[in-house]
Amino acid sequence: MNALIRLEVLRTLRNKKFMFFSVVYPSVIYLLISGTQSGAGNVPGTDLPLQAFFMVSMASFGALTAVLMGNSERIAKEREKGWVRQLRLTALPGRGHVLAKIAGAAVVTLPCIVVVFVVAAVARHVRLEAWQWPVLTLVIWAGSLVFAALGVAIGYLASGDAVRPLTMIVYFGLSILGGLWMPAATFPRWLQNISEWLPTHAYAALGQAVETGGAPAARDVALLCAYFLLFAGGAAWLYRKDAVKA
């Protein structure tokens, strides 16, 4: 499985188009959003200034882009080309293949997170305690595993032609409704009630809690763990179902 993880990471790092959209794109969006206001006052519903709030949001968005977009389309194409069928002939068990895909995708989220942090610190003068930077990186990276599992599930669910539109709907839907692009506190009450149960809302809340000097809420951690089990279990089931079809 370790060899497969290394292969997945190397293939991703060689994909210049993918690396641009997962590493550079979130930083550009961050600069555009954080530059629209002077930063006076806190974001509604939080104790964070706009620049700090959107630093976590866009770092989370970049990690989401890396693991969700990359995983789903790559797996769907591999299924069409017969690569997944070849892997089934090896000694690697099905759960090992799914876990390798999740782990391989999660590794490449680190550049996405770090670049946004550097841009925020240099261009928008975001300042945190020394301990908060590594902890922020850790919680955002760990949370990305949830969406890596979702990307694997979508890759085995959709065909090569259908995977991109399906992934884009899920990708933008979770990003916007989960409060990564705008504070969920600005939504209508009925939409806030929906947002609070989305994995992206809990994901962003992890980093926001660390930024304010606290620990992530147990509810957010539990919600993300539940989603991870759901997505990873779904990915494993779809993998076995695809094996039967093959």
Side-chain angles (χ1 to χ4, degrees):
M1 188 169 73
N2 291 336
L4 183 57
I5 293 175
R6 287 195 297 271
L7 176 62
E8 292 295 327
V9 172
L10 290 174
R11 290 173 64 194
T12 300
L13 294 177
R14 290 180 185 138
N15 188 333
K16 296 180 180 179
K17 180 180 177 180
F18 170 76
M19 291 303 295
F20 171 81
F21 281 104
S22 61
V23 177
V24 179
Y25 177 58
S27 298
V28 173
I29 297 297
Y30 170 75
L31 289 173
L32 292 175
I33 295 176
S34 62
T36 58
Q37 299 184 29
S38 63
N42 293 332
V43 172
T46 74
D47 296 322
L48 297 170
L50 181 141
Q51 285 78 9
F53 175 87
F54 278 108
M55 179 184 76
V56 164
S57 293
M58 288 299 105
S60 302
F61 177 69
L64 175 67
T65 303
V67 296
L68 182 58
M69 299 294 289
N71 251 357
S72 58
E73 292 192 34
R74 188 181 306 114
I75 291 172
K77 291 178 181 178
E78 288 175 353
R79 289 168 57 210
E80 286 190 340
K81 294 178 180 178
W83 171 245
V84 175
R85 189 180 301 111
Q86 290 296 113
L87 286 176
R88 290 196 182 101
L89 300 177
T90 68
L92 183 68
R95 65 179 180 277
H97 175 72
V98 171
L99 290 175
K101 287 290 186 182
I102 294 172
V107 170
V108 299
T109 62
L110 288 175
C112 316
I113 299 167
V114 171
V115 169
V116 172
F117 286 175
V118 170
V119 169
V122 174
R124 295 292 180 253
H125 309 293
V126 175
R127 297 293 181 263
L128 299 174
E129 297 292 334
W131 67 267
Q132 289 175 301
W133 293 108
V135 174
L136 264 180
T137 303
L138 177 62
V139 297
I140 294 176
W141 174 81
S144 71
L145 292 171
V146 176
F147 305 99
L150 176 59
V152 175
I154 294 175
Y156 284 113
L157 175 66
S159 64
D161 292 331
V163 66
R164 175 163 293 198
L166 176 60
T167 305
M168 294 295 284
I169 291 172
V170 173
Y171 170 65
F172 283 110
L174 288 178
S175 298
I176 295 172
L177 297 179
L180 296 185
W181 283 73
M182 61 190 74
T186 62
F187 295 165
R189 185 68 249 178
W190 65 270
L191 193 54
Q192 290 183 42
N193 293 335
I194 296 174
S195 176
E196 289 173 358
W197 290 98
L198 295 179
T200 37
H201 184 277
Y203 185 35
L206 297 182
Q208 291 163 13
V210 173
E211 279 191 305
T212 57
R219 179 185 183 276
D220 294 324
V221 175
L223 190 63
L224 286 173
C225 289
Y227 271 112
F228 177 78
L229 293 175
L230 175 65
F231 295 150
W237 180 78
L238 288 166
Y239 176 85
R240 291 194 295 270
K241 183 180 178 182
D242 189 62
V244 173
K245 289 181 180 179

